[in-house]
Amino acid sequence: MEMLVYLIPASLFLGGVGLLAFLWALRSRQFEDPEGDGQRFLSDDWDKRPKP
Amino acid sequence: MSASSLSACPACVAAPSAEAIAGARAEKASGIVLSLPTAHCAACISDVERELMRVPGVRSARVNLTLKRVSVEAGPEATPALLVERLGRIGYEAHELDPGLLSVTETDRRGRDLLMRLGVAGFAMMNVMLLSVAVWSGAEAATRDLFHWISAAIALPTLVFAGQPFFSSAWASLKARRLGMDVPISLALILSSAISLYETIEGGEHAYFDAAVSLCFFLLAGRYLDYRSRAAARSAAEELAALEVPRAVRIGADGDETVAIADLRAGELVRVKPGARMPVDGIVTEGASEIDRSLLTGETLPVRVSHGTAVSAGEVNLTGPLVVRVTAAGKDSSLHRMADLVAVAESARNRYTSLADRMARGYSPSVHILALASFIGWMIQSGGDVRLAVNVASAVLIITCPCALALAVPAVVTAASGRLFRRGLLIKDGTALERLAEVDTVVFDKTGTLTMGTPRPVALEQHAEADLRLAAALASGSAHPLSASLSSALAELGIAAAEVADLREVPGEGMEATFAGRRVRLGRADWTGAEARDATATYLDAGDGKPARAFVFADRLRPGAAAAVAALKAGGKRVVLLSGDSAAPVEDMARTLGIEEWRAMVRPEEKAAHVAALTAAGARVLMVGDGLNDTAALAGAHVSISPASALDAARVASDIVLLGQDLLPIADAARLAVTARRRIKQNFALSLAYNVVAVPIALAGLATPLIAALAMSTSSITVSLNALRLR
């Protein structure tokens, strides 16, 4: 049972990282165009060289 | 829409008021925004962006596929008209939007705020649930207390933060002395966390932190979905208002200048190019031309105008350039007076109560009464054990809380409107789908709705080839819609144009040229010496002494019109055709489409009266129309649809807007609406069924936190899955 002292904070920390990642995604407007982003992935326009 | 936001009227949110539009238009816009109703795939994104980047002056172009828009940053040399034309050439329909009207920042912020609360509640729910698993599987004494304390540490701040939308709206409704759905929700959240905290301090067995947090999460999910469909409706309304960028060319002291219509004053002069729509009511002071009044009257025959003729806003100038003295602009113009008619008709329709409203009206009081009854009952039963009685009462509140109920409508509406949007239908009003499901009679307008509003020449093969060649030569020199249509139809037939000399256009009359030493003319009946026919036609005078030949035009059917009418009739609906046009073309159209009931020469008031009469006879009418003459009927019908090419007054008056040219989605929408309503009812039944099972358990004092959590999550998840079954 002593393991709980480490495990609970560890699991809360990992969950918190997930939450922060979500908040970051939200703030950097990654939910503006979900459909377009899903489709853009399929386009091969800039596969050879990066978009200028 | 959602049970928890009863008082708001979706139409008020969706349709911005005229003042708001006028105010927003005054703002200076930056960048260009185009609407792309047909974009749907990865290739579309690349095509559109690549094509736009090729236009000189364009700095950046980015497609938003979710909103079906592209935003372009460009220098002054890349005008919106040029971009629309370039996109049209590669096969994408595009419309210019007024970026000043698309003020998304405020709604955007609210959406992200809700999403953030939802994320926090979701995170807390996962962690508290995990800790609860240990408690449910039999943790005891110190371990259980420790887990309860950790749960409390996560749950309490979460509830304070994530529950705010419910608390503030409950407070607002209490101040207004009403019991909205948010009052029992807030009560359940506060009561359950208070009793759980008390139990934790006392080292008790049951704490409802998990139930309280998941309650909050599911309710927020419902609220977010509801918000999303409202935001989509609002942005749709904004998009429609923004579709028509209202500009006019004013003849000022120092030459022509392009100004917003709102800035025009009576007495000023404006120039109206051929092909442009009249921006204002006025009187022609210079030039001669023909105008198309079909959007206002439904009549397809062009009307001749010259010096001194009065014209009204919304009419289309066909042939020659005109100078018009403004008599009324903006709010005073006839277009806007018509909009007042619409407002009157709309107030009648707003009395519709949605399924969710009817449901909530009975549900909200019964929740309070049940919880109070169980509290009093257990106080008497246990001889004054307050702790036990409060425990039971909060369990009842948690279980009866309208979690699944709050998801029942938004989940279905979101799924259905998403599906319809992909087929090119914009749902402007939240209850439109429900109303569409009740429809049993469909009234169509003819010009511009069942037809494209663009005439095509008919029976060309009856003419002699020499005449056709002459007509091709004359028609090629003019931008008049009839000439352009004749010219392209002849080109399709492979008719080569005859060699003519001195080709010139006589504004308001037609084309004139010299052919083999004779004067030849193509144009109006009286000008070419022909007898005018009772149809849209142009006349050819070949200069050979014989009477002029008439080229008769007929309007083209919209793609999918026949299929849509057939599908609606197959669905058991009564289909009626009402048109302002003359009897012959209307009868012809009705016969082609298989519509038995039709009326011609119907004036706008008569259309509205006809719809009202049908309604009075017990029919639920779906009105499909596009013109100003349909506006009052659109507003008066049970539910209404207009194509995107309609006048903006008509679009504002209707509940659903058809973005593409095809009419077939109307039949799909009618079918989908019926399914959607069935799903909503099933969802209500499902969530009530859960309550019927769980409430007696809670009243008996047997509801443990495990049962509460299970009942709540399974009911919410079944309801959402049921909504997603919608096809």
Side-chain angles (χ1 to χ4, degrees):
Chain A
M1 279 300 181
E2 290 75 34
M3 280 310 286
L4 287 180
V5 178
Y6 306 104
L7 286 180
I8 290 176
S11 73
L12 284 181
F13 170 75
L14 288 177
V17 169
L19 180 66
L20 285 182
F22 170 71
L23 293 182
W24 167 75
L26 198 60
R27 277 180 198 280
S28 56
R29 302 178 165 255
Q30 296 187 25
F31 296 94
E32 301 268 283
D33 182 16
E35 206 171 311
D37 291 337
Q39 298 278 4
R40 259 169 215 282
F41 172 77
L42 299 172
S43 111
D44 49 10
D45 280 358
W46 304 103
D47 280 3
K48 300 266 164 60
R49 60 200 162 82
K51 193 171 180 176
Chain B
M1 306 213 323
S2 109
S4 38
S5 46
L6 306 168
S7 55
C9 114
C12 317
V13 186
S17 66
E19 285 86 343
I21 294 174
R25 270 183 184 159
E27 280 176 18
K28 197 69 199 157
S30 63
I32 300 169
V33 184
L34 303 177
S35 153
L36 287 172
T38 53
H40 64 280
C41 60
C44 310
I45 301 181
S46 327
D47 285 354
V48 169
E49 289 182 356
R50 207 180 305 129
E51 181 64 24
L52 288 176
M53 288 304 284
R54 267 192 221 132
V55 178
V58 172
R59 281 190 292 275
S60 78
R62 179 141 183 118
V63 174
N64 184 327
L65 201 59
T66 315
L67 295 171
K68 295 197 193 276
R69 278 181 201 161
V70 55
S71 15
V72 183
E73 268 184 57
E77 62 271 39
T79 58
L82 176 69
L83 300 182
V84 167
E85 197 223 309
R86 291 287 289 258
L87 288 177
R89 224 183 290 159
I90 59 164
Y92 291 96
E93 193 182 333
H95 309 283
E96 186 192 356
L97 297 175
D98 187 345
L101 274 185
L102 302 168
S103 52
V104 285
T105 44
E106 175 60 19
T107 51
D108 225 34
R109 203 185 49 71
R110 273 200 46 215
R112 269 188 293 157
D113 185 65
L114 262 179
L115 196 56
M116 191 191 301
R117 288 180 210 275
L118 183 66
V120 170
F123 157 80
M125 182 180 75
M126 283 189 288
N127 284 285
V128 174
M129 277 292 177
L130 278 178
L131 293 165
S132 297
V133 170
V135 178
W136 295 333
S137 51
E140 286 192 340
T143 323
R144 187 182 62 206
D145 284 351
L146 172 68
F147 277 37
H148 277 168
W149 276 116
I150 300 173
S151 303
I154 301 170
L156 293 177
T158 305
L159 287 175
V160 169
F161 174 68
Q164 264 171 30
F166 307 111
F167 300 145
S168 57
S169 120
W171 180 240
S173 72
L174 278 183
K175 269 203 291 193
R177 296 171 182 281
R178 286 186 298 108
L179 281 182
M181 259 327 200
D182 282 339
V183 178
I185 291 171
S186 306
L187 207 59
L189 290 178
I190 293 170
L191 201 61
S192 62
S193 44
I195 191 76
S196 305
L197 191 62
Y198 176 76
E199 289 286 326
T200 307
I201 294 168
E202 294 287 305
E205 206 179 323
H206 295 312
Y208 289 102
F209 291 121
D210 47 2
V213 176
S214 50
L215 183 68
C216 191
F217 173 76
F218 285 122
L219 288 170
L220 277 174
R223 192 62 57 98
Y224 180 66
L225 282 181
D226 184 39
Y227 163 80
R228 273 269 305 272
S229 49
R230 260 165 210 255
R234 187 210 301 262
S235 85
E238 277 172 351
E239 181 154 325
L240 294 170
L243 252 175
E244 223 149 290
V245 184
R247 292 195 193 111
V249 180
R250 177 168 65 190
I251 304 174
D254 38 343
D256 291 0
E257 48 185 347
T258 304
V259 294
I261 288 180
D263 298 338
L264 287 174
R265 298 284 165 269
E268 285 177 332
L269 294 175
V270 291
R271 201 182 287 285
V272 186
K273 282 187 298 187
R277 195 170 278 182
M278 294 290 165
V280 291
D281 289 358
I283 291 168
V284 176
T285 57
E286 238 178 80
S289 176
E290 285 174 307
I291 55 170
D292 175 1
R293 289 197 156 138
S294 64
L295 271 176
L296 278 76
T297 59
E299 198 184 340
T300 42
L301 281 177
V303 181
R304 194 164 194 197
V305 294
S306 57
H307 181 84
T309 320
V311 291
S312 18
E315 297 170 343
V316 179
N317 181 15
L318 293 178
T319 348
L322 291 175
V323 175
V324 175
R325 179 180 303 282
V326 181
T327 52
K331 283 197 181 125
D332 308 319
S333 70
S334 50
L335 263 180
H336 274 265
R337 283 200 301 276
M338 199 71 178
D340 297 343
L341 249 178
V342 173
V344 175
E346 268 190 335
S347 65
R349 188 205 281 163
N350 281 340
R351 284 188 221 119
Y352 181 81
T353 16
S354 70
L355 284 172
D357 287 355
R358 271 181 262 166
M359 190 74 187
R361 212 171 271 170
Y363 198 80
S364 179
S366 56
V367 169
H368 288 102
I369 292 167
L370 261 182
L372 189 65
S374 64
F375 176 76
I376 295 170
W378 278 94
M379 282 293 275
I380 298 166
Q381 170 77 21
S382 61
D385 186 346
V386 182
R387 183 173 160 190
L388 179 67
V390 172
N391 247 318
V392 172
S394 63
V396 170
L397 264 180
I398 287 180
I399 283 187
T400 51
C401 228
C403 226
L405 216 55
L407 277 170
V409 180
V412 174
V413 171
T414 310
S417 50
R419 212 140 270 161
L420 287 176
F421 184 63
R422 240 163 283 148
R423 293 195 196 160
L425 280 167
L426 268 179
I427 312 284
K428 276 173 56 195
D429 187 311
T431 59
L433 268 178
E434 281 177 38
R435 284 182 276 135
L436 187 58
E438 295 171 353
V439 160
D440 52 18
T441 306
V442 185
V443 178
F444 280 103
D445 162 54
K446 185 177 83 74
T447 320
T449 305
L450 285 174
T451 68
M452 301 285 289
T454 49
R456 303 272 298 167
V458 290
L460 279 179
E461 63 283 355
Q462 289 173 5
H463 295 277
E465 177 150 5
D467 290 345
L468 290 179
R469 294 184 52 190
L470 206 49
L474 288 164
S476 67
S478 163
H480 188 288
L482 292 185
S483 291
S485 163
L486 184 59
S487 169
S488 69
L490 288 170
E492 274 166 35
L493 283 178
I495 305 282
E499 294 276 329
V500 294
D502 311 327
L503 186 64
R504 66 186 190 97
E505 180 156 19
V506 183
E509 305 287 2
M511 300 296 298
E512 193 179 67
T514 319
F515 172 68
R518 306 192 304 254
R519 192 199 64 191
V520 289
R521 280 176 167 180
L522 178 74
R524 299 182 53 85
D526 43 9
W527 188 58
T528 51
E531 206 155 297
R533 293 212 191 175
D534 185 22
T536 310
T538 186
Y539 304 87
L540 175 73
D541 172 16
D544 50 7
K546 283 188 260 174
R549 286 64 137 179
F551 290 90
V552 180
F553 291 79
D555 210 346
R556 198 153 39 113
L557 271 184
R558 240 176 221 275
V565 169
L568 286 170
K569 285 175 79 180
K573 296 188 172 43
R574 178 175 162 199
V575 180
V576 184
L577 176 63
L578 292 183
S579 176
D581 207 354
S582 51
V586 177
E587 186 180 3
D588 194 40
M589 169 76 51
R591 200 172 303 131
T592 321
L593 294 176
I595 301 175
E596 283 97 23
E597 266 182 83
W598 57 270
R599 280 181 64 188
M601 314 270 278
V602 188
R603 279 178 296 135
E605 315 80 87
E606 288 174 343
K607 275 197 186 190
H610 197 86
V611 167
L614 284 171
T615 309
R620 299 292 175 112
V621 181
L622 161 65
M623 173 80 201
V624 189
D626 77 316
L628 199 55
N629 56 338
D630 305 314
T631 313
L634 284 169
H638 194 53
V639 58
S640 49
I641 300 183
S642 64
S645 58
L647 263 193
D648 77 356
R651 287 196 312 252
V652 167
S654 52
D655 303 300
I656 301 175
V657 173
L658 195 59
L659 291 177
Q661 292 193 329
D662 200 323
L663 276 186
L664 193 58
I666 292 181
D668 290 343
R671 195 185 46 78
L672 193 72
V674 175
T675 329
R677 193 174 58 149
R678 198 183 313 138
R679 291 278 175 276
I680 292 178
K681 287 187 168 166
Q682 281 171 359
N683 277 352
F684 284 149
L686 272 174
S687 50
L688 282 184
Y690 275 101
N691 278 340
V692 167
V693 175
V695 167
I697 300 178
L699 283 176
L702 298 172
T704 57
L706 177 61
I707 291 180
L710 275 181
M712 201 148 49
S713 345
T714 40
S715 65
S716 300
I717 291 168
T718 21
V719 162
S720 317
L721 288 181
N722 188 39
L724 290 178
R725 280 198 309 133
L726 200 70
R727 292 252 168 258

